[in-house]
Amino acid sequence: MSTIRPYHIGFSAADLEEGTTIALLSGDPGRSRHIAESKLVGARLLSDERGLDSYAATLSNGRPVVCATSGMGAPSASIVINELAQIGITTIIRIGTSGSIQRHVAIGSVVIAHAALCRHGAADDIAPPEYPAAADPFLTVALANAASEAGVAHHVGVTASVDTFFEGQERTATSANPHLLRRLQGSMDEYVNLGILNYEMEAGTLFKMGGVYGISTGCVLAIIAARHDAENPDLALKATAVDNAIDVAIRAAATWTRRDS
Ligand code: URA
């Protein structure tokens, strides 16, 4: 077993129970703690360096997992994903939050992204822009089945993964910057017409890294904003939406068996 402790995540394979291959990856360290301490058993803090809080914990069927934190945005996520792969993680399920673009994707539901329109600078350091940002199809099916079993309203489709929460998601009224670059003006309308379900900020890079590194990646996103109606997230409904996404990810992780290509 490798005892290399990668610089940023601050823990190594030697700190994990043998056979730990799945990471539940949240952007928010508080969500990682919530999953480990409230949804799983035997939570044990592995590291809290740089706010990238990580926990070892066990699913109800006894399978060990890591609850890791990516931080906000693709550059930070790419470092965490790389280091998780270095310590033997072969499946990463992102549990994120998101704003819906399509009217039928309601706050409280979840989006299970099978692919991303990837507008990430970080991903371009890993693969050419035209390299597909695609989730593991089998893991995506496992997530969709888990959502059906849990009775969670869900949509499977393409997400828009962008680098900025404000300009990149066409926010102006709630942003310090009321001016949008011409190339971004009208981008949300364009995405409606392209059938893209929602905005988020890390899945595209995760998916491309999955393809290049040969690891399984999937993504379940809690819809907390309805961007066709408002710019702000709905804080009253956020906790329910996030718990729905967590429930889906945990159920999928419990049944997941990776298929090597
Ligand atoms: N995360 C995003 O990237 N966008 C939203 O609107 C909400 C959460």
Side-chain angles (χ1 to χ4, degrees):
M1 180 195 303
S2 167
T3 53
I4 295 167
R5 174 172 293 186
Y7 177 58
H8 301 88
I9 59 173
F11 61 94
S12 74
D15 298 312
L16 302 176
E17 196 179 316
E18 202 168 332
T20 305
T21 58
I22 300 178
L24 304 177
L25 185 63
S26 305
D28 173 0
R31 191 174 314 135
S32 293
R33 191 182 62 200
H34 173 60
I35 296 168
E37 292 185 348
S38 307
K39 306 287 179 181
L40 303 179
V41 292
R44 176 168 54 89
L45 182 68
L46 293 165
S47 168
D48 58 3
E49 285 182 33
R50 295 170 185 259
L52 299 173
D53 299 15
S54 293
Y55 295 80
T58 307
L59 304 178
S60 58
N61 65 1
R63 176 178 272 186
V65 298
V66 176
C67 301
T69 302
S70 67
M72 284 184 283
S76 176
S78 74
I79 295 168
V80 173
I81 294 160
N82 184 309
E83 293 187 353
L84 289 172
Q86 289 187 49
I87 65 163
I89 295 298
T90 55
T91 296
I92 299 179
I93 302 175
R94 163 163 156 71
I95 303 168
T97 54
S98 171
S100 75
I101 293 175
Q102 304 287 342
R103 286 197 175 275
H104 69 280
V105 178
I107 293 177
S109 66
V110 304
V111 164
I112 295 161
H114 66 71
L117 177 149
C118 185
R119 266 179 27 211
H120 281 167
D124 292 345
D125 283 354
I126 292 152
E130 58 271 30
Y131 187 92
D136 180 316
F138 302 106
L139 184 53
T140 302
V141 170
L143 288 164
N145 287 342
S148 297
E149 274 167 31
V152 169
H154 62 284
H155 308 268
V156 179
V158 178
T159 188
S161 292
V162 303
D163 274 336
T164 50
F165 183 83
F166 291 100
E167 287 85 348
Q169 300 185 18
E170 247 195 299
R171 286 183 166 90
T172 49
T174 58
S175 168
N177 178 10
H179 309 293
L180 282 181
L181 296 178
R182 262 196 297 273
R183 68 178 167 77
L184 292 173
Q185 291 174 22
S187 52
M188 189 159 68
D189 280 347
E190 199 167 77
Y191 291 174
V192 170
N193 295 333
L194 292 172
I196 292 167
L197 299 181
N198 62 310
Y199 281 123
E200 63 81 62
M201 296 181 62
E202 290 85 13
T205 291
L206 170 67
F207 292 163
K208 286 193 174 187
M209 293 178 82
V212 173
Y213 294 12
I215 61 175
S216 296
T217 60
C219 180
V220 55
L221 300 158
I223 298 298
I224 63 163
R227 291 302 318 287
H228 33 84
D229 285 336
E231 291 195 1
N232 278 326
D234 185 330
L235 298 181
L237 294 176
K238 180 178 171 183
T240 308
V242 168
D243 274 350
N244 283 341
I246 293 169
D247 191 15
V248 169
I250 287 175
R251 284 170 185 263
T255 59
W256 172 241
T257 307
R258 198 170 118 82
R259 300 196 195 187
D260 290 318
S261 52

